[in-house]
Amino acid sequence: VSSDEAAQFYREHPERFIEPEQLHVHAITISVDPNSPSEAWPAAKARADEARRVLARGMAFAEAARTYSTDQGRPSGGDMGLVHRGSLASPFEAIVQALPVGAPSDVVESIYGYHIVLVSEVTPPQKKTFEQVSATLTKDLSATRCAERKETWLSGLRAAARIQLHEAAR
């Protein structure tokens, strides 16, 4: 596929080159193992409530995450990085839908334990430029064209093939 053909495809299908809205998400997670005794849940809830209280008193979210989180995000201050809206697990997605940027959520329970979520930044949807997608687009369109031509070629071979069965000499 030539660069001109790729550019034409790019112009004809602009919706395919939109980078969706992204959220910079941070989370404090107090995990509870599903096999834990029942008293583990109230202890985890108390820890989450304490984390929410220190946030309300002004502690930085990253510091609270390093202090209270019990998951692998703890060393990074709960920073989950940029995520596409709609790609989070349903409890988190519901939280971030209405959460104002920079405001920590209330404590939320999930099957994994208790969480406090913060969205620090929202990046609106952006259309990628042709220069950003050119190499990948050309490669993908070429692969698609090759696969189509291979299938046509194989179909032609199958249609022209004549299979004859001969009984083995005994």
Side-chain angles (χ1 to χ4, degrees), residues 26-29 61-80:
H26 308 262
I28 297 172
T29 297
F61 196 91
E63 183 181 345
R66 282 190 283 277
T67 304
Y68 292 95
S69 277
T70 60
D71 72 341
Q72 67 273 12
R74 181 181 189 160
S76 67
D79 191 344
M80 296 173 60

Side-chain angles (χ1 to χ4, degrees), residues 88-109:
L88 296 169
S90 56
F92 286 104
E93 197 64 45
I95 296 167
V96 300
Q97 283 295 342
L99 193 61
V101 172
S105 71
D106 291 329
V107 174
V108 178
E109 182 179 346

Side-chain angles (χ1 to χ4, degrees), residues 150-163:
K150 177 182 176 185
E151 190 53 44
T152 301
W153 178 66
L154 289 174
S155 293
L157 289 176
R158 286 186 196 103
R162 301 287 175 242
I163 299 173

Side-chain angles (χ1 to χ4, degrees), residues 23-46:
L23 310 169
H24 193 159
V25 178
H26 308 262
I28 297 172
T29 297
I30 292 82
S31 302
V32 180
D33 187 317
N35 298 321
S36 298
S38 60
E39 58 271 6
W41 285 92
K45 174 73 163 88

Side-chain angles (χ1 to χ4, degrees), residues 111-128:
I111 61 171
Y112 307 107
Y114 295 95
H115 315 274
I116 303 168
V117 180
L118 174 95
V119 175
S120 64
E121 175 186 10
V122 177
T123 304
Q126 298 176 13
K127 183 177 179 188
K128 292 183 178 182

